[in-house]
Amino acid sequence: MPTARRAPPEARAAAPPKARAAAPPTARAAVPPAQRSRDVNPFSDPQVMAVLEEFRLIFKSVRRHFQAVEAHTGVSGAQAWLLAEVRARPGIRVTELAQVMAIHQTTASNLVERLARRGKIERRRSEDDHRAVHLHLTAAGRSLVARAPGPVQGVLPAALKQLPSEELAELRRRLARLTRLLPLRDARGRKTPLSEI
C-alpha cells in the first residue's frame, strides 16, 4: 500500500490558520433607564425629590409655628406646650409630663426649671409625700397659654392626631424603615422636643 505523501513545508506554511470560534457575548441584565439614572444620581429620581419636598414643607411649617409662638409668648414651643399640659392637668408631676410629651425626664425638668424662674409655673410639695412635687400654673402662666397661637402642642402633633390609627401605624413603620437607612442617626432626637432641635 502506497505511503501518503506529506505536503512540503512551503505548502504547510501557506495554509490559512483555522478560525477560532468567537466567544458568546456575556449576558447582561437589562437595567431600566430610570434605575441607571438613580444609580448615577439618586436625587434625579422624581419620587425622591417629591418626598424630600414634603419633608421640607413639614420642617418649614413647624419652624414657622414655633417662631409665632415665641413672638407672642416669649417662650419656646416646648415650654408653651408644657404649660398647656399643666393647665389641662393641674398638679401633674414632672415624670408624667415627660410621658405625655414623649421627652426625657431630664428635659422636662429643665423646661420646668426655666419656666419656674420666669414665674410661669410653681412647684408644690405633696402634703402626703414631701418627695412628690406637683406643678401648677401661676397667673402669668395662665395668661401666657391663653395668648399662645394654636395648636399649642405644635402643628405636627396636631396633624398626626387627625390621621386614623391604621394610617398612623403604617406611617410609623415606613418612617422606622427610613430612619434605619440613615447613614448617621442620633437616637437622642427621639426624645428631644422639636422646638429644641
Side-chain angles (χ1 to χ4, degrees), residues 4 17 71 87-88 114-115:
R87 182 184 65 175
R114 278 183 271 171
L115 290 167

mmCIF file of all heavy atoms in Angstrom, residues 4 17 71 87-88 114-115:
data_model
loop_
_atom_site.group_PDB
_atom_site.id
_atom_site.type_symbol
_atom_site.label_atom_id
_atom_site.label_comp_id
_atom_site.label_asym_id
_atom_site.label_seq_id
_atom_site.Cartn_x
_atom_site.Cartn_y
_atom_site.Cartn_z
ATOM 1 N N ALA A 4 1.155 7.741 2.197
ATOM 2 C CA ALA A 4 0.635 9.083 1.872
ATOM 3 C C ALA A 4 1.778 10.080 1.922
ATOM 4 O O ALA A 4 2.590 10.098 2.847
ATOM 5 C CB ALA A 4 -0.445 9.483 2.873
ATOM 6 N N PRO A 17 -4.679 29.886 8.727
ATOM 7 C CA PRO A 17 -4.936 29.381 10.076
ATOM 8 C C PRO A 17 -6.417 29.140 10.285
ATOM 9 O O PRO A 17 -7.269 29.802 9.680
ATOM 10 C CB PRO A 17 -4.417 30.507 10.976
ATOM 11 C CG PRO A 17 -4.518 31.735 10.141
ATOM 12 C CD PRO A 17 -4.250 31.296 8.734
ATOM 13 N N ALA A 71 -42.849 84.612 69.352
ATOM 14 C CA ALA A 71 -43.138 86.038 69.162
ATOM 15 C C ALA A 71 -44.299 86.504 70.034
ATOM 16 O O ALA A 71 -44.298 87.641 70.521
ATOM 17 C CB ALA A 71 -43.452 86.301 67.692
ATOM 18 N N ARG A 87 -51.846 73.259 82.575
ATOM 19 C CA ARG A 87 -53.178 73.869 82.689
ATOM 20 C C ARG A 87 -54.270 72.809 82.579
ATOM 21 O O ARG A 87 -55.276 72.842 83.305
ATOM 22 C CB ARG A 87 -53.385 74.923 81.603
ATOM 23 C CG ARG A 87 -54.735 75.629 81.694
ATOM 24 C CD ARG A 87 -54.951 76.597 80.554
ATOM 25 N NE ARG A 87 -55.033 75.926 79.264
ATOM 26 C CZ ARG A 87 -55.319 76.531 78.106
ATOM 27 N NH1 ARG A 87 -55.528 77.845 78.104
ATOM 28 N NH2 ARG A 87 -55.365 75.858 76.981
ATOM 29 N N ALA A 88 -54.080 71.846 81.676
ATOM 30 C CA ALA A 88 -55.079 70.790 81.493
ATOM 31 C C ALA A 88 -55.059 69.768 82.626
ATOM 32 O O ALA A 88 -56.068 69.105 82.885
ATOM 33 C CB ALA A 88 -54.842 70.083 80.157
ATOM 34 N N ARG A 114 -36.785 76.400 83.958
ATOM 35 C CA ARG A 114 -36.749 77.696 83.261
ATOM 36 C C ARG A 114 -38.053 78.465 83.440
ATOM 37 O O ARG A 114 -38.046 79.685 83.638
ATOM 38 C CB ARG A 114 -36.464 77.471 81.779
ATOM 39 C CG ARG A 114 -34.991 77.287 81.450
ATOM 40 C CD ARG A 114 -34.773 77.137 79.960
ATOM 41 N NE ARG A 114 -34.858 75.745 79.554
ATOM 42 C CZ ARG A 114 -34.880 75.330 78.300
ATOM 43 N NH1 ARG A 114 -34.863 76.211 77.311
ATOM 44 N NH2 ARG A 114 -34.948 74.051 78.003
ATOM 45 N N LEU A 115 -39.171 77.749 83.351
ATOM 46 C CA LEU A 115 -40.476 78.408 83.497
ATOM 47 C C LEU A 115 -40.707 78.857 84.935
ATOM 48 O O LEU A 115 -41.322 79.906 85.172
ATOM 49 C CB LEU A 115 -41.585 77.455 83.049
ATOM 50 C CG LEU A 115 -41.631 77.180 81.547
ATOM 51 C CD1 LEU A 115 -42.536 76.001 81.242
ATOM 52 C CD2 LEU A 115 -42.105 78.421 80.788
#
